[in-house]
Amino acid sequence: MMSLIPGPEDLYLFHEGNLFRSYRMLGAHLAESEGERGVRFAVWAPHAREVRVVGDFNCWDGSGHAMNKVSTWGVWSLFVPGVREGEYYKYEIITSAGTLLYKADPYAFWSELKPGTASRICSLDGYEWTDQEWQSRKTSQSVYRSPLNIYEVHLGTWKKKPDGAYYSYRELASELVDYVKEMGYTHIELLPLAEHPYDRSWGYQATGYYSVTSRFGTPKDFMYFVDRCHQAGIGVIMDWVPGHFVKDEHGLRQFDGQPLYEHSDPALAEKPEWGTLAFDFSKPEVVSFLISNAMFWMDMYHIDGLRVDAVASLLYLNFGKPRGQWVKNVNGGDENLEAIAFLKKLNRTVFACYPDALMMAEDSTAWPLVTTPVDAGGLGFNYKWNMGWMNDMLKYMETDPYFRPASHGLLTFSFMYAFSENYVLPLSHDEVVHGKKSLLNKMPGDYWRKFANLRVLFGYMMGHPGKKLLFMGGEFGQFDEWKDLEDLDWEMLGYDSHRSMHRYVRDLNQLYLRESALWELDHQPEGFAWIDPHDQRQSVTTFMRSSGNPEDVLVIVCNFTPVYHAKYRIGVPFAGEYVELFNSDAGEYGGSGKLNEGILRTEDVPWHDRQDSLHISLPPLAAVIFKPVKIKRKRSKTTTRRGKADA
C-alpha cells in the first residue's frame, strides 16, 4: 500500500521539475494506516493559508480534515480513513486573503459527470491487459518504415444512439474498432480525452488532465477500449494539450488564490485568441505536472502516442496576440524559451521510456528541426503535421479546374521540403468545421465532379510521401461540415455516390497497407522521384514511389481536370510490362470507368528523360497507379578490345 506521507526524494524531484511520474505522489490514492484502509490525499498549493479535503465522506464539511504541509514549497497531504473508491471530493482552499475556494483535484483519475465538477476516488490498478502481442510487435518494427494511416475521431459525435445518448467506451470498443479495422486504418487518433466541462471545446480546454472523460464511462472502461484496439492491431494516439487550460473556477486557474499553473504576469498568461490561460513553464512543478501527464497516458492506458496540440502557441510568446500586447523574452526575441526547453525535456523523457512512441507536433510554423532528436539540436518529436501541404492542397482543390494551371505550384511545392521533417499529411477536424465546409463540399463543380475531385485528392495524398490522417466522415464524403453536437450523417451511405466513396477509401487504404512503396521510405528522398512535375497546362502530375527494393516501384499519375486523355504518354523507370494497380475512376467508385485493362507494354520511346515510356488512358479527375510486373533487362553497352562500344 501507499505510504501516508509523500517521500522527501519525490518531493525534491517534483520541486526540481524532474518527477516524471508525479501522479503517483499527488492526488488521491488508496492507502492503509494501522490496519485501516482509506485514502491519502496530496496537493500542491504553495500560496494557501490552509487546505482541507471535503467530500461525501464528511458531508462536504472540511473542518475536521485539514491537510498538513509536508514541503516548504507547498505540498499538502492528509490520510483520511474509511474513504472508499467512487466517492466524490474536492479541495477546500483558504487563500492568503482568506477567500474560500473549492477546487477539483489536478491529479484526479476520475471526475464527476458533467455538469458536476467534483473529483472521484479511483484506483487504476487491477486491469488485466491482453495486448502483449501488440506491445511486442511495436518494439520490433520501425515506426518510420511502417504504414501509418490515422483515422481521427471525436468520440462524442462519431456515432450516437437513436435517443442521442453517447456510445460508451465498451460499446465503441466493438463498433468503432471493428469499423476502423475494416476500413484499413492503422491507428485511431482521439480528440482530447482529458475531462472538460464544455462539449464544444472538443476536449481542448481541459480541467482534469489525469481524468479520462466520464462522458463515455469509467477509467477501466477506457482501458478496455485501448486493449481492444491493440488486440485488433490498431494503435491509439491521443490529442494532448500542454499549451493552455480553461478558466473554469473549479479548475487550475488561480488554484490556490494566486496564479499557480499559469504565469503571474497576465501578458504571459493570457491566450486571448482562445480565452484560456497558458501554462507557466518556468515553474518546475508545472513541468513535473505536464511531463508526468504525458507519461501517465502511456503508463496507465497504454496510449501509443500523443499528438501535441498547438505547438506554434508554445514556441512563440506572442502567438495569437494583437501587436499591442506583444512581449519579449530575456534576449529580446519572440521565442518562448521556457516552453521550448519543456518540449525538449518532454520528448527526451518519453523516448527514454517509450522509444517506439509516436510524438507528433501539430505545428503550423517553419521552426526548423522539429523532428530532429534533442541531442542533435532539434525539438525531439518524431513526427510533424504538414500544415503547409494541407493548406496548399485544399486551396488548390477548391480552385475551379479551369484555373488550376495557374496554381500548379501548389501541387508541387511540398516536394521541395517533403524530407526536411518526418511528416504526417493531415486532413483534420479543423478543416471541416466553423464554416469551412466539408471536404466534399469544398470541391468545385457539379455533384459528379465533387466526388471525382475528392477521389483524386485522396489518391494524390496516398501517393505523396508522408504518413496519412483523415478526420471521420471524410471517408464517405460527408456533405455537411462536422456538426460537433450531432453524429455523422451515416444515412448518406444509403446513396450510391457516398457508398461508392466509402468503398473507394476502404480499397485505397487496403492498397496502402499492401504496397510498401507507399510507406517504407516515406522520409527518405530515395523513396520518391518525379517523372513529370511540369505538365501545368493539363494539370497532371506523374511521379514514382519506391520501397527499399529498387524494383518495387509504383508510378502514380494524377489528372486534376475533367478532361479525358485517351492517349497520354508517360516515361517509366523500366522497360517491360505494367498493370494498372488502382484507378479512382473505376465504376464501382462512382467514376466514368475509363480503365487501363490488361497488360501494358512499354515502347522504346524516350519520354520524360527516360528511355522507355507507356501510352496510358488518363481518366478525368483521377488518380491512377501502375506497377511493373515484368521488367525487361536490356543489354548494357560493353567495350570491345578495340575500345568500341557494342550495343
Side-chain angles (χ1 to χ4, degrees), residues 614-631:
L614 282 175
H615 254 144
I616 65 168
S617 169
L618 184 57
L621 294 172
V624 190
I625 302 176
F626 300 92
K627 186 172 184 176
V629 291
K630 183 176 181 180
I631 295 174

Side-chain angles (χ1 to χ4, degrees), residues 10 41 64 94 107 126 160 199 202 234-235 315 321 337 359 371 391 405 409 445 472 476 478 485 505 553 558 575 589:
D10 284 348
F41 297 92
I94 302 174
Y107 282 87
K160 287 188 175 182
D199 285 342
W202 316 329
I234 304 297
L315 294 174
K321 295 181 179 179
L337 302 178
M359 293 295 289
T371 58
N391 283 312
M472 63 183 196
F476 61 81
Q478 168 124 344
L485 294 178
V505 172
V553 302
C558 296
Y589 303 143

Side-chain angles (χ1 to χ4, degrees), residues 14 30 48 71 78 97 104 107 115 132 158 214 232 248 318 350 379 438 506 543 556 558 565 574 577 640:
F14 175 69
L30 296 178
S71 82
L78 178 70
Y107 282 87
Q132 293 80 11
W158 179 71
S214 54
D248 289 53
N318 300 307
V350 168
L379 289 181
S438 69
R506 182 197 64 193
F543 57 91
I556 301 167
C558 296
H565 303 279
F574 308 112
E577 298 178 350
T640 67

Side-chain angles (χ1 to χ4, degrees), residues 355-430:
D356 52 354
L358 296 166
M359 293 295 289
M360 299 179 168
E362 189 252 333
D363 176 27
S364 57
T365 76
W367 190 278
L369 307 180
V370 172
T371 58
T372 297
V374 175
D375 292 345
L379 289 181
F381 292 94
N382 57 0
Y383 278 100
K384 174 181 175 175
W385 276 23
N386 193 337
M387 309 295 280
W389 173 87
M390 178 272 296
N391 283 312
D392 285 352
M393 279 307 302
L394 292 182
K395 183 177 180 181
Y396 180 84
M397 294 305 303
E398 289 180 87
T399 301
D400 187 286
Y402 181 82
F403 298 104
R404 284 178 179 170
S407 301
H408 194 70
L410 294 173
L411 272 182
T412 58
F413 177 67
S414 58
F415 293 97
M416 300 291 290
Y417 61 88
F419 308 105
S420 62
E421 303 277 5
N422 302 326
Y423 281 117
V424 173
L425 309 181
L427 294 174
S428 76
H429 67 280
D430 277 328

